[in-house]
Amino acid sequence: FFFVYPHLPLLLDRWNGTVSLPLILIASFANTFFELFPIRLGHLTINDNLSVPLITGMVMLICQPLFA
């Protein structure tokens, strides 16, 4: 696993090594919510394997100052 994602241990540096429980719950809800509805741009449907992690990450970054 470490060889595939060598920078993954640095992922939690923004959150000082831990993520608060409210932030985890909000991210889980956002993940579930955006998984339910496909994102469409005209006739093009964006694959949820790309859009859901990006949107969930943005939600976590936006909500992180509230729970720091």
Side-chain angles (χ1 to χ4, degrees):
F1 185 74
F2 182 74
F3 297 109
V4 176
Y5 300 104
H7 301 290
L8 193 60
L10 303 176
L11 183 66
L12 292 177
D13 283 348
R14 180 186 269 294
W15 292 285
N16 296 324
T18 61
V19 179
S20 66
L21 182 61
L23 188 57
I24 291 171
L25 295 175
I26 289 172
S28 299
F29 177 74
N31 194 1
T32 302
F33 180 78
F34 287 110
E35 190 75 41
L36 291 174
F37 303 105
I39 297 176
R40 294 191 179 124
L41 300 173
H43 296 291
L44 178 68
T45 301
I46 297 177
N47 187 345
D48 64 346
N49 292 329
L50 176 66
S51 63
V52 171
L54 291 174
I55 292 171
T56 303
M58 288 189 313
V59 167
M60 287 182 72
L61 287 175
I62 291 169
C63 293
Q64 190 265 337
L66 299 173
F67 302 106

